[in-house]
Amino acid sequence: MSIIVHHLENSRSQRIIWLLEELGLPYEIKRYERHPKTQRAPDSLKAIHPLGKSPMIEDDGEVIIETAAIAEYLVAKAGGKLGAPKDAKGARQYVQYLHFAEGSMMPPLYGLLVVGRLGLLGLPARKPVGQMVTDLLVWLETELAERDYFAGGELTAADIMMSFPLEACQTRAGLDQRFPNLQAWLKRIHDRPQYQMALEKGGPYAYA
Ligand SMILES: N[C@@H](CCC(=O)N[C@@H](CS)C(=O)NCC(=O)O)C(=O)O
């Protein structure tokens, strides 16, 4: 039986489809639409797991949640493909960025989203929260000064994890020509046929 990806449109679960394309594992997608006003996931996702968040996958009758945990599971299932590089430094960078994406990038990006929705009420928070994102981008830009990918010279699952927050930064949080290394990295990943195939299969995605 193939893996089922429960995929919410325009969301971070796009990464799991891309990862599966790269790994060449058989899978099928169940798509879910966001509520047009609230942008929340539909309740039908809660029938799969009580938290009702995306991504979730089902494999061998088990439901797995949390993007990085799913990524680790799939990399292991594919025999370590796109997993940690062999050298110790690359292996550390791999683990760091696998978790940095959700742990350090997403909280201020989510903060910006909430602040934006508050309208005038959120105005005082816009600059400081925006600065938190900029601080992260400034550091990440230096990280990619001497290597093409976050854990070394080759694409790994850590890059796939970093794609969603950095795409969100490019479309709505100031990742522009001030960050040429990050822009080059985005182009590098977007040029991959597997990335393009995942976009085609995943449906609406407002960040690429
Ligand atoms: N850290 C979790 C976050 C999961 C999450 O918040 N997913 C969003 C998709 S971008 C979601 O399902 N939002 C819809 C909602 O909460 O109603 C992960 O990486 O899996």
Side-chain angles (χ1 to χ4, degrees), residues 51-202:
L51 292 181
K53 301 276 184 194
S54 175
M56 308 178 199
I57 63 162
E58 280 180 82
D59 193 25
D60 282 335
E62 198 186 335
V63 175
I64 305 170
I65 63 163
E66 197 60 45
T67 319
I70 296 170
E72 289 207 62
Y73 173 85
L74 294 176
V75 164
K77 192 174 171 98
K81 190 172 174 188
L82 294 191
K86 299 253 177 297
D87 64 294
K89 190 172 178 194
R92 273 198 306 279
Q93 288 166 336
Y94 174 80
V95 175
Q96 176 183 297
Y97 284 109
L98 203 64
H99 298 286
F100 190 85
E102 286 294 321
S104 290
M105 295 294 294
M106 289 314 293
L109 280 169
Y110 189 66
L112 266 190
L113 182 80
V114 172
V115 161
R117 287 202 187 142
L118 287 174
L120 281 180
L121 264 183
L123 211 54
R126 258 185 223 179
K127 214 172 160 191
V129 180
Q131 188 59 47
M132 286 178 197
V133 176
T134 307
D135 290 347
L136 293 171
L137 292 178
V138 167
W139 178 66
L140 291 172
E141 176 69 12
T142 66
E143 281 286 277
L144 289 190
E146 277 164 26
R147 58 186 195 267
D148 280 352
Y149 295 97
F150 280 103
E154 306 291 333
L155 181 89
T156 67
D159 295 284
I160 295 178
M161 283 304 297
M162 289 296 284
S163 61
F164 180 71
L166 287 175
E167 288 169 338
C169 286
Q170 187 172 47
T171 49
R172 47 194 78 173
L175 197 174
D176 54 24
Q177 66 287 349
R178 291 171 297 164
F179 304 101
N181 297 330
L182 294 175
Q183 285 190 320
W185 175 85
L186 280 166
K187 177 163 181 356
R188 216 170 283 133
I189 63 168
H190 290 166
D191 283 349
R192 294 179 75 85
Q194 297 89 339
Y195 182 95
Q196 291 301 326
M197 181 56 74
L199 270 191
E200 216 170 278
K201 292 190 178 169

Side-chain angles (χ1 to χ4, degrees), residues 6 8-16 34-35 38-43 45-46 51-56 64-70 101-103 106 110 161 164 207:
H6 294 279
L8 180 64
E9 64 179 4
N10 282 319
S11 83
R12 49 178 36 99
S13 58
Q14 184 63 36
R15 292 178 293 194
I16 295 303
R34 289 182 184 269
H35 188 283
T38 65
Q39 295 298 307
R40 297 298 309 271
D43 280 348
L45 263 177
K46 292 199 174 119
L51 292 181
K53 301 276 184 194
S54 175
M56 308 178 199
I64 305 170
I65 63 163
E66 197 60 45
T67 319
I70 296 170
E102 286 294 321
M106 289 314 293
Y110 189 66
M161 283 304 297
F164 180 71
Y207 302 94

